[in-house]
Amino acid sequence: MSVQERKQRERADRERLIVATARELAEQQGWDAVTTRRLAERIEYSQPVLYSHFRGKREIIGAVALEGATEMAAALRAATPAADGPRARVTALARTYLDFAVHNPAVYDAMFQLDGGLAFANEDTPQPLKDAFGALLETLGEVAGEGVHPALFTEVFWAALHGLATLTRAGRLPPEDTGPRVDLLVDRLAMI
């Protein structure tokens, strides 16, 4: 391995460590606890080293969001193949989405609540975000209905899931009613 390759590998390892540490700190104490000073202390590098990877907290949030989008896409795609029929696939997709939001609150916030400097719904949208939307579209597109654009249907269904996730996490909806809400969403919005 050349010196240049080793330096690139070390840089990538440091970047992964910064993102993993930020994510861990955010999951434990919330995003307000994630500061460059605290991250530098935890990873045992100086703040200038941290700034050589990310210009600040906003970029770190964006990196966590991209990592989360990749994980969400994988989880959504893994949830649907074993389901028998369109209704079961959409139900599995919805439950997996909501479970992801519950079990990864800081990541979910980085993806959808905080400013990570990422573009959504345009040409500059990073590929992991497109992939996460694509994972929704793959299942939801098949139940959009005649005359309904599959991407538009997916956006509306996603908005409903996001609303359920956000309101449940905020304690405004009781979590024990998540199953009936998903059933209602699938039955009435997807009409399957």
Side-chain angles (χ1 to χ4, degrees), residues 17-31:
L17 177 62
I18 293 166
V19 171
T21 304
R23 182 175 174 167
E24 178 183 312
L25 187 56
E27 291 292 358
Q28 291 171 352
Q29 300 177 30
W31 277 104

Side-chain angles (χ1 to χ4, degrees), residues 95-118:
R95 288 188 175 151
T96 300
Y97 183 98
L98 295 172
D99 286 346
F100 184 91
V102 166
H103 293 103
N104 303 282
V107 174
Y108 192 83
D109 287 346
M111 292 169 65
F112 301 119
Q113 303 290 102
L114 301 173
D115 179 10
L118 303 174

Side-chain angles (χ1 to χ4, degrees), residues 87 182-192:
R87 186 184 195 296
V182 167
D183 291 340
L184 184 61
L185 182 62
V186 171
D187 290 341
R188 298 295 170 94
L189 187 57
M191 297 176 60
I192 46 177

Side-chain angles (χ1 to χ4, degrees), residues 4-169:
Q4 181 68 18
E5 289 172 330
R6 182 181 53 78
K7 285 183 179 184
Q8 287 174 341
R9 187 186 76 229
E10 289 171 355
R11 180 171 175 76
D13 289 345
R14 265 193 317 272
E15 194 164 299
R16 280 191 294 277
L17 177 62
I18 293 166
V19 171
T21 304
R23 182 175 174 167
E24 178 183 312
L25 187 56
E27 291 292 358
Q28 291 171 352
Q29 300 177 30
W31 277 104
D32 287 342
V34 179
T35 65
T36 54
R37 183 186 57 75
R38 288 182 90 183
L39 285 174
E41 288 171 3
R42 283 206 174 192
I43 64 171
E44 298 178 347
Y45 284 100
S46 67
Q47 283 182 306
V49 169
L50 194 110
Y51 282 116
S52 74
H53 290 273
F54 299 99
R55 286 182 281 185
K57 183 175 176 177
R58 181 179 187 219
E59 284 189 5
I60 294 169
I61 290 169
V64 170
L66 293 176
E67 188 176 272
T70 298
E71 292 170 10
M72 178 183 271
L76 294 172
R77 286 187 173 111
T80 56
D84 187 27
R87 186 184 195 296
R89 282 191 293 279
V90 173
T91 300
L93 179 91
R95 288 188 175 151
T96 300
Y97 183 98
L98 295 172
D99 286 346
F100 184 91
V102 166
H103 293 103
N104 303 282
V107 174
Y108 192 83
D109 287 346
M111 292 169 65
F112 301 119
Q113 303 290 102
L114 301 173
D115 179 10
L118 303 174
F120 281 82
N122 67 42
E123 292 175 11
D124 295 335
T125 300
Q127 194 59 47
L129 298 178
K130 290 178 182 178
D131 290 343
F133 183 78
L136 292 167
L137 180 62
E138 289 165 13
T139 297
L140 295 170
E142 71 178 271
V143 299
E146 193 171 324
V148 177
H149 192 281
L152 183 63
F153 178 78
T154 300
E155 290 170 352
V156 171
F157 200 94
W158 171 32
L161 287 174
H162 176 68
L164 290 174
T166 302
L167 292 170
T168 302
R169 285 184 52 224

